Amino acid sequence: MTGWEDMWKRDGGLKPGQYFDACKSSRVLLDLIQEWKVKYGDQNEGMPDALVPGCGRGYDVSEFAKIGFNALGLDISQTAVKVLLCKYSLENVLMRTDCA
């Protein structure tokens, strides 16, 4: 078990807003995503990829996916990924975990 896995399982499971979980994406990221959408969202060149390492509950992955990015979230905690998959059912969000 990794330190992150331990954190996710501590005290019956990490709750939203507890420790490092902010319960949402940062305002700065949301503004950058919106700025990108305004500038480039109407182009027919396909949507870009978004990689979110340490995605946790997937707040950022979800925000990218909502506007059509090919979003990929990575986390080393299997528990975090299970929590994320229960929370989101977006088809264009691909989740993988590496628990090396």
Side-chain angles (χ1 to χ4, degrees), residues 1 13 17 23-25 35 42 44-45 51 54-55 64 70 80 83-84 92:
M1 205 176 307
C23 294
K24 60 184 176 183
S25 292
E35 183 179 317
D42 293 333
N44 292 326
E45 299 173 11
L51 174 63
C55 65
F64 281 114
N70 297 311
V83 169
L84 181 146
N92 57 343

Side-chain angles (χ1 to χ4, degrees), residues 20-79:
F20 51 84
D21 186 301
C23 294
K24 60 184 176 183
S25 292
S26 74
R27 173 59 24 210
V28 172
L29 179 63
L30 295 174
D31 290 346
L32 287 171
I33 291 172
Q34 184 60 32
E35 183 179 317
W36 183 92
K37 185 178 177 183
V38 168
K39 286 183 179 180
Y40 307 108
D42 293 333
Q43 297 179 5
N44 292 326
E45 299 173 11
M47 295 303 280
D49 298 327
L51 174 63
V52 183
C55 65
R57 277 197 169 79
Y59 304 120
D60 297 342
V61 178
S62 175
E63 292 300 330
F64 281 114
K66 284 178 187 176
I67 67 165
F69 276 65
N70 297 311
L72 173 62
L74 301 173
D75 205 294
I76 62 171
S77 168
Q78 289 179 348
T79 301

Side-chain angles (χ1 to χ4, degrees), residues 85-98:
L85 291 174
C86 287
K87 185 173 176 61
Y88 298 103
S89 61
L90 299 170
E91 291 179 15
N92 57 343
V93 177
L94 173 63
M95 300 306 304
R96 284 188 241 164
T97 182
D98 178 9

